[in-house]
Amino acid sequence: LDECVVQTCPTCAKTTCSDKMQTCDDPNTGVHSVNDWTCTCPPPAVGSATAKAATCVCDECQEPTQQCAGAKQLCFDPNTDCSNKGDYVCECKAPFTGVATAQPATCEVDECIEKGATCTAVGQICDDPDKTKLDDWQCKCKPPSTGLGVTKPAAQCNLDECVVQACPTCANTTCSDADQTCEDPNTDASSTMDWVCTCKPPAAMNSATAKPATCVCDECATDTVCAGANQTCFDANKVCNTPPDFECECEPPMIGKGATVPAVCSLDECELHSATCLAQQQECFDPDLAKVGDWECLCKPPMTGSATAMPAECVYDECVIQDCPTCANSTCSDAGQECEDLNTAPSSTSDWVCKCPPPSNHSATAKVAECDLDECKDPKKAGQCTENCDPGTLDCGQTCYDPNPTVGSEDDWECQCPPPSTQKTTAGPVMHCEYDECKEKEAVCLAEGQTCHDPDTRTLNTWMCICTLPSTGNATVRPARCLLDECKVQNCPTCANDTCSAVGQECEDPDTVATSTNDWICKCPPPSTHQATAKPAVCEVDECDDPLNNCTANCVTPNTPNCEQTCFDPNTAPASLGDWVCNCPPPTTGKATAQAAMCTVDECVEHGATCTAEGQTCRDTNTSRLNDWECLCKDPAKGSATATAAKCVLDECVENCDTCSKNTCKDEGQTCFDPNTDPASKSDWTCTCPLPSTNSATAKAASCGVDECEKNGWKCTADCTGVLNCAQTCFDPNTTSSSLGDWRCVCQPPSTDFAVAKAAICTVEPCVHDNEPACEQDPDGCEWALLPTPTCKPIPCQHTKEAECLKDTGCEWLVYSGASTTTGTGAISYEVLVPLKPFPAATCDASCACASKTAVYIRVGDGYVNGKDSLTCGACSTTAGVTVDWKEADGSLTVSGVSGDKLAEIVASVVFTTSSKDGAKRHVTWNFGTALDAAAAATACGGVVDLVGGVCVTEKCDYTTNPTCEADPYCDWVGGTTDPCVIAPCVLYPNEKECSKDPDCRYDVGTSPALCKEKPCRAFKGPVECNAEDECMWDGTNTKCVEKECSKFNDDRCQCHAEDRCYWDVRATVPKCVESKFGECPVLDVVLLLDGSGSMSEAFGRHPNGFYAMMEMIRDWAMTLPLTGED
């Protein structure tokens, strides 16, 4: 009996196990063994029970999918119910702590809890940088000292009192403020107050411990200005950081000084030596005061003579001195002879001599000499010597000579050839002067183994040296450079003859100088480039010699490895071609056969240590180039350099670092400047006050003068109204920090008002005009009163708020009964009476979270008049993406498509208008959101306003008698005991435009000023009295008396004929009723001529000029012209 299979026995399992998704097993199927069947839970659940369903246990920690074991963590399942999955917990093993559900836990341990006492025992703090690791805790020094323990031992604390700022023992800016360098010789944190200030060059290297050093700067120690001028340098003020004040002094006996420049030295030596000259009755003169030893003694006239640094030997030359009794004066020169004083001593007189000119040697003392006859002085004879002159030859150099220049010896003169020729002819020229220069120069040529030849003996410097065979060459006036091309000359002992050509090679002589022999070369034919000297060459083919085999084909940028490859041919045999190799230069790698290689190298592998040694990083931007690796500075420092360590710059005014200014200066409106951008120079930035203040401070904001207008100036116009109030300027009369609260708001002319520490109320005397046009054009609202005397005065009661109107004595608020407008100066508009929320100046309150709102809803509620009231959006047409939906049926306006503050701008531009005449209050609600919700109007997302139409006017028609009432154009007399005088209909319309909108009103320009008045026929209230008037007729449809117009009978020909003043016009395309007096008139062209004289620019009554007056009258006249067939 298997109780799991059989279903009909009382003890069988039936569906007990299967209902629980368990398996049934009967361990003993004997018929007497009953109720021993078991239910067993399906994997991964465990559990079984006999004769009943098992209670299954699902321990997720036993399942292979749990993640704790893989993370080497403990697993615990708090709820083993099989329906409760994903709740097992991973727990870290000690000493780590941490748990996580259904995932590995984040295990952490703060080792400083256990180990921190090691650090605190030595006055340090414990730090565990990574709580997921063990044995990485370390001791750190307390600020301002620095240092870090590598492992458990305490840190070695350092305190560089020159670098650390704001510590009691540190130098801070003591040295830098004195422009000195600071050095801490012992940076152990326990060694304090041992920092040293040292003077900077060029000052003497003085130093002092824990205070500024006393620096001495002798400018003469580095002087080159005075020394370069051989002068002495003297520095009276050796204080450092002062302008140059050294002086250059001249060396004795010269005198003179120069401030920072070489001195101008001078000395008048006559002050020392004039006695030497005076002793010889001579004068002393110093021609150059800047030189020494150049003073002179000068002889006094008429004697001449001078001597330097000694008395002169004076000369009394009777040939030179003029106008003396014993002198020659011009006796000799007048005779063409030379004068000579043989004894120039002052005591020797009248001994001068006249000498004949050469070749005569005659002379005479103190008189003219008698001279010999020289035939060559005859120009005709002397001129014959050059008659045969051939330019460039010796012939042109012939001279005339008279061997016996005595009287009686004539025609013995000679023409003599110039040296070296010795030819001559008596009483005539030599036909050809000749000279063979080789007689003199032959030895020059023979010394070089050459022969001398003079091709032209009539001309000098034409001789030449000629080379002997087989060499060739010659040269004029010097030895020749003899040439011997051993490849071309044949049958010489040293020549190639046919040695090269016999083996098919080319012969070349690299040096064809005759003395260079046996240097000819045999060259192999291409492609081989081999050669041999004085013998045939052994020919090979080195393919690297072929320019077509280019190893620089991959060269893009000059001086890069691809441009510096070398070529190598491993086999130069002519039969071995195409095996040449391109090799990259070290340290790059790469080679290629029969083509250019691609060379690469990361230079940071070799040079990176250069950068890291300076705390910088290395970068090789292009591995195909050499020497382009860079060192880059680490943030916050900036800078880079190619192939060397960078010079890093840290501008503490620009960068963001612990010692940087950040916005310290900027927040105070000051400028920041870092005088030393070296990263090691920290906290030396300065804040400088804006002009006119010149204050500054290092590593902090400066204390500046306080101009209170910079903070408070906006208050002068913050809540202003009107042109004058909004043009105020701020002025602080005293900007010192001790003078606060004295800033002023000052009004602009013509107002002279001001206020201290608040906005002023600017006032001017209103309506100060002396003529009507200027008065009526005043934007503040003025009118010209004619009585009792013409004067300009403010228009009363120009209030737009009912409350303001009622406060003004003499004004009253009239509920508006006509159409409204919201634009125009003085226009009637609906007033905001109850501003529960600002309208139309709405704002988007932060509590509304309106940034997420995309629509605004506005509704005219109580008082809404369908068909006459409307809401329009002024900003919607100029705002992109806006959708506008006006529902006239319920008076609601929906604007969508924008969000946030844009919605507030939309509300601010919405305008309410109406053509209703009731003037009743309108209850308007609005809100941001997703639907039109009146309740939301009371929250931060909406608002409510009540609008009512009205106008502020001067209290009018407060008359008690008929004559005074009717005399006022604004009033009508109605009689009675209460308000017998009332405001006339239509007069409250402010202008012609508003007046014309009302069919019962007309604009009367016949009064001054023009006024809106009720049409005349409206005064008759019944049909009888209306029809009794010739110009009026009763309108039964609208139940009022209207003006009689023939056009009203266009549909009734009979009625048109019944009216005496009307005529039925059949000429028109459509027959119509027209005025009788114009019935037969043709179509008119009306031409208007206006005066253009200067008087038209003057005021005309209430009009600013004549043109305005004419235009108003023409406009009124045009209304009566029969342009349409009617009056």
Side-chain angles (χ1 to χ4, degrees):
L1 176 60
D2 190 338
E3 294 172 283
C4 289
V5 176
V6 177
Q7 298 293 314
T8 57
C9 69
T11 62
C12 291
K14 301 183 177 69
T15 62
T16 302
C17 297
S18 60
D19 288 345
K20 298 293 185 178
M21 303 297 292
Q22 299 176 10
T23 58
C24 183
D25 178 62
D26 191 349
N28 189 345
T29 54
V31 295
H32 299 292
S33 178
V34 295
N35 280 322
D36 61 340
W37 50 275
T38 61
C39 288
T40 303
C41 297
V46 295
S48 63
T50 302
K52 63 179 180 181
T55 299
C56 297
V57 175
C58 291
D59 188 346
E60 292 176 273
C61 289
Q62 304 301 320
E63 296 177 11
T65 57
Q66 60 92 1
Q67 302 180 44
C68 301
K72 297 182 180 179
Q73 298 177 11
L74 302 176
C75 183
F76 170 69
D77 191 352
N79 189 343
T80 57
D81 190 286
C82 291
S83 62
N84 195 5
K85 291 287 189 179
D87 64 336
Y88 72 94
V89 177
C90 292
E91 184 175 1
C92 299
K93 296 180 180 180
F96 293 94
T97 60
V99 295
T101 301
Q103 63 181 359
T106 299
C107 299
E108 294 182 340
V109 58
D110 189 349
E111 295 174 278
C112 285
I113 296 174
E114 176 186 359
K115 309 293 186 180
T118 302
C119 302
T120 56
V122 291
Q124 300 175 13
I125 57 176
C126 181
D127 176 51
D128 190 352
D130 189 348
K131 293 181 175 55
T132 64
K133 297 180 180 179
L134 291 175
D135 295 326
D136 66 334
W137 64 275
Q138 50 196 355
C139 290
K140 295 174 65 176
C141 301
K142 290 182 178 180
S145 60
T146 59
L148 191 67
V150 178
T151 54
K152 287 84 180 163
Q156 174 62 44
C157 297
N158 295 322
L159 175 59
D160 190 337
E161 294 173 282
C162 288
V163 176
V164 176
Q165 300 291 317
C167 76
T169 65
C170 293
N172 298 316
T173 61
T174 301
C175 299
S176 59
D177 289 347
D179 195 27
Q180 299 176 17
T181 60
C182 182
E183 180 182 4
D184 191 349
N186 187 347
T187 56
D188 188 279
S190 61
S191 176
T192 58
M193 293 299 291
D194 60 340
W195 47 274
V196 177
C197 290
T198 304
C199 299
K200 294 181 179 179
M205 298 296 288
N206 297 345
S207 61
T209 302
K211 64 180 180 180
T214 300
C215 299
V216 175
C217 294
D218 188 346
E219 295 174 81
C220 291
T222 57
D223 165 65
T224 58
V225 175
C226 302
N230 294 321
Q231 297 177 12
T232 302
C233 177
F234 176 71
D235 189 358
N237 181 6
K238 296 182 173 59
V239 179
C240 296
N241 297 320
T242 58
D245 59 348
F246 67 93
E247 291 183 342
C248 294
E249 294 184 355
C250 299
E251 294 291 332
M254 306 297 286
I255 58 174
K257 293 183 179 181
T260 71
V261 296
V264 177
C265 301
S266 63
L267 176 64
D268 189 345
E269 294 174 278
C270 286
E271 294 179 3
L272 302 176
H273 303 290
S274 59
T276 302
C277 300
L278 291 174
Q280 300 296 323
Q281 296 184 346
Q282 300 175 12
E283 295 177 345
C284 183
F285 173 67
D286 192 349
D288 190 346
L289 300 181
K291 292 183 179 180
V292 177
D294 64 334
W295 61 275
E296 299 176 348
C297 286
L298 305 178
C299 297
K300 293 182 179 181
M303 291 181 289
T304 61
S306 65
T308 301
M310 65 177 62
E313 291 184 5
C314 297
V315 174
Y316 190 81
D317 192 334
E318 294 174 281
C319 288
V320 175
I321 298 172
Q322 300 292 318
D323 300 323
C324 74
T326 63
C327 293
N329 298 316
S330 59
T331 302
C332 300
S333 59
D334 289 345
Q337 298 178 16
E338 178 187 357
C339 181
E340 181 182 359
D341 191 348
L342 301 178
N343 187 346
T344 57
S347 60
S348 176
T349 60
S350 297
D351 60 343
W352 49 274
V353 176
C354 286
K355 290 184 177 182
C356 295
S360 175
N361 54 8
H362 291 201
S363 63
T365 300
K367 64 180 180 179
V368 177
E370 294 182 2
C371 301
D372 293 340
L373 175 64
D374 188 346
E375 292 178 277
C376 285
K377 291 183 178 179
D378 185 351
K380 292 182 178 180
K381 296 180 180 179
Q384 295 182 39
C385 292
T386 57
E387 287 180 352
N388 295 332
C389 176
D390 186 1
T393 64
L394 293 171
D395 296 340
C396 297
Q398 296 184 44
T399 58
C400 180
Y401 172 66
D402 188 350
N404 188 0
T406 60
V407 178
S409 176
E410 288 82 27
D411 296 325
D412 61 343
W413 58 275
E414 298 175 344
C415 286
Q416 296 180 349
C417 291
S421 175
T422 58
Q423 295 173 272
K424 62 182 179 180
T425 302
T426 300
V430 178
M431 293 304 298
H432 293 296
C433 295
E434 293 181 336
Y435 178 73
D436 187 349
E437 292 173 279
C438 284
K439 295 178 181 178
E440 177 184 354
K441 304 296 183 180
E442 184 176 30
V444 175
C445 300
L446 292 175
E448 299 294 330
Q450 302 173 16
T451 58
C452 182
H453 172 64
D454 189 353
D456 185 359
T457 58
R458 295 179 59 199
T459 305
L460 295 179
N461 296 321
T462 57
W463 63 278
M464 60 175 61
C465 292
I466 300 175
C467 299
T468 57
L469 294 176
S471 62
T472 60
N474 60 72
T476 302
V477 300
R478 60 181 176 80
R481 184 175 183 272
C482 299
L483 302 178
L484 175 61
D485 190 337
E486 293 174 282
C487 288
K488 295 180 179 180
V489 176
Q490 298 292 320
N491 301 321
C492 75
T494 64
C495 292
N497 298 315
D498 295 326
T499 303
C500 299
S501 59
V503 294
Q505 298 178 16
E506 178 187 357
C507 182
E508 179 183 346
D509 189 352
D511 188 352
T512 56
V513 176
T515 57
S516 176
T517 59
N518 279 318
D519 60 342
W520 50 273
I521 298 171
C522 287
K523 290 186 175 182
C524 296
S528 176
T529 58
H530 287 211
Q531 61 186 24
T533 302
K535 62 180 179 180
V538 178
C539 297
E540 293 180 338
V541 179
D542 189 341
E543 293 176 276
C544 289
D545 296 334
D546 188 349
L548 297 178
N549 297 338
N550 187 5
C551 284
T552 60
N554 293 331
C555 175
V556 176
T557 305
N559 301 320
T560 59
N562 282 335
C563 301
E564 297 175 355
Q565 300 180 39
T566 57
C567 182
F568 172 67
D569 190 350
N571 189 342
T572 58
S576 177
L577 299 177
D579 60 342
W580 53 280
V581 178
C582 289
N583 293 316
C584 292
T588 62
T589 59
K591 66 180 181 177
T593 301
Q595 62 180 354
M598 291 299 296
C599 304
T600 61
V601 61
D602 186 350
E603 295 175 278
C604 282
V605 175
E606 177 183 358
H607 300 291
T610 301
C611 301
T612 55
E614 299 296 330
Q616 302 171 16
T617 57
C618 181
R619 178 179 67 183
D620 190 353
T621 56
N622 189 342
T623 57
S624 64
R625 297 180 59 179
L626 290 177
N627 299 320
D628 65 336
W629 57 276
E630 297 176 319
C631 285
L632 305 177
C633 298
K634 293 183 178 179
D635 286 332
K638 296 293 185 288
S640 64
T642 302
T644 186
K647 183 178 181 180
C648 298
V649 173
L650 175 57
D651 190 337
E652 293 174 282
C653 289
V654 177
E655 308 301 337
N656 186 6
C657 65
D658 292 338
T659 64
C660 291
S661 69
K662 296 174 177 142
N663 290 324
T664 301
C665 303
K666 181 180 179 182
D667 291 343
E668 295 299 325
Q670 301 174 17
T671 56
C672 183
F673 172 68
D674 190 351
N676 188 345
T677 56
D678 189 298
S681 177
K682 298 180 179 179
S683 296
D684 59 341
W685 50 273
T686 60
C687 290
T688 303
C689 297
L691 294 175
S693 174
T694 58
N695 296 350
S696 63
T698 302
K700 63 181 180 180
S703 176
C704 305
V706 180
D707 187 345
E708 293 176 273
C709 285
E710 294 178 359
K711 287 189 176 181
N712 301 304
W714 64 274
K715 297 178 182 179
C716 293
T717 57
D719 300 311
C720 66
T721 56
V723 175
L724 283 173
N725 284 333
C726 293
Q728 298 182 46
T729 58
C730 184
F731 170 66
D732 190 353
N734 189 343
T735 58
T736 60
S737 58
S738 60
S739 178
L740 299 177
D742 61 340
W743 57 277
R744 300 178 180 182
C745 291
V746 182
C747 299
Q748 297 298 307
S751 175
T752 59
D753 298 324
F754 71 93
V756 178
K758 64 180 180 180
I761 299 176
C762 301
T763 60
V764 293
E765 191 69 22
C767 301
V768 182
H769 303 288
D770 59 0
N771 63 82
E772 184 180 2
C775 176
E776 294 190 346
Q777 292 178 19
D778 193 318
D780 291 331
C782 301
E783 62 182 5
W784 187 257
L786 298 175
L787 298 174
T789 58
T791 182
C792 184
K793 63 180 182 179
I795 298 175
C797 306
Q798 295 194 93
H799 305 291
T800 58
K801 306 282 186 182
E802 182 179 16
E804 297 173 359
C805 179
L806 296 177
K807 290 179 182 179
D808 193 343
T809 303
C811 300
E812 64 178 339
W813 182 263
L814 298 181
V815 174
Y816 183 55
S817 60
S820 77
T821 178
T822 57
T823 59
T825 303
I828 300 171
S829 61
Y830 268 81
E831 182 206 347
V832 180
L833 290 180
V834 189
L836 301 180
K837 281 281 183 179
F839 182 92
T843 58
C844 185
D845 195 291
S847 60
C848 177
C850 57
S852 62
K853 311 301 184 185
T854 59
V856 64
Y857 302 84
I858 308 174
R859 171 180 285 168
V860 182
D862 298 342
Y864 173 70
V865 181
N866 190 357
K868 295 191 176 183
D869 292 355
S870 65
L871 293 171
T872 57
C873 175
C876 293
S877 61
T878 59
T879 305
V882 172
T883 302
V884 181
D885 184 15
W886 162 249
K887 290 184 172 57
E888 190 175 53
D890 60 1
S892 67
L893 178 72
T894 303
V895 181
S896 58
V898 292
S899 61
D901 290 335
K902 271 295 180 185
L903 284 175
E905 295 177 13
I906 294 298
V907 177
S909 70
V910 172
V911 174
F912 169 77
T913 58
T914 182
S915 60
S916 172
K917 302 175 183 178
D918 60 1
K921 180 176 69 175
R922 305 293 197 267
H923 187 72
V924 181
T925 60
W926 61 272
N927 67 279
F928 298 127
T930 57
L932 188 61
D933 183 7
T939 69
C941 290
V944 179
V945 290
D946 285 338
L947 309 176
V948 66
V951 64
C952 187
V953 298
T954 306
E955 288 185 345
K956 295 181 181 297
C957 307
D958 191 18
Y959 306 115
T960 59
T961 63
N962 189 355
T964 55
C965 179
E966 293 292 344
D968 191 331
Y970 283 85
C971 304
D972 278 348
W973 181 262
V974 295
T977 58
T978 304
D979 294 329
C981 186
V982 298
I983 295 177
C986 303
V987 296
L988 295 182
Y989 285 116
N991 51 54
E992 184 178 5
K993 180 179 179 182
E994 297 301 319
C995 181
S996 300
K997 292 180 180 179
D998 195 330
D1000 297 328
C1001 304
R1002 67 182 178 87
Y1003 200 66
D1004 186 3
V1005 297
T1007 64
S1008 181
L1011 191 65
C1012 187
K1013 294 183 178 180
E1014 188 180 48
K1015 290 182 177 179
C1017 292
R1018 300 300 186 275
F1020 307 109
K1021 305 303 180 185
V1024 176
E1025 59 181 336
C1026 175
N1027 291 328
E1029 293 293 320
D1030 185 58
E1031 298 294 325
C1032 301
M1033 59 183 291
W1034 184 257
D1035 185 355
T1037 304
N1038 295 309
T1039 64
K1040 62 181 177 180
C1041 189
V1042 299
E1043 285 65 31
K1044 184 181 291 184
E1045 297 174 358
C1046 293
S1047 61
K1048 295 183 182 298
F1049 309 125
N1050 282 341
D1051 298 329
D1052 191 347
R1053 181 176 182 179
C1054 293
Q1055 183 65 37
C1056 178
H1057 283 298
E1059 296 291 329
D1060 293 338
R1061 64 196 299 268
C1062 297
Y1063 170 79
W1064 187 256
D1065 186 8
V1066 296
R1067 296 174 304 165
T1069 304
V1070 178
K1072 59 182 179 179
C1073 190
V1074 298
E1075 293 284 336
S1076 298
K1077 59 182 176 180
F1078 303 125
E1080 296 295 331
C1081 288
V1083 175
L1084 297 179
D1085 287 331
V1086 180
V1087 179
L1088 304 177
L1089 300 180
L1090 302 183
D1091 181 9
S1093 66
S1095 62
M1096 290 293 284
S1097 63
E1098 298 176 0
F1100 274 57
R1102 65 182 179 83
H1103 301 286
N1105 57 62
F1107 290 103
Y1108 279 6
M1110 291 297 297
M1111 287 300 101
E1112 185 167 277
M1113 296 307 297
I1114 290 171
R1115 181 182 58 190
D1116 188 69
W1117 175 57
M1119 300 297 294
T1120 65
L1121 287 179
L1123 300 178
T1124 60
E1126 295 180 0
D1127 188 358

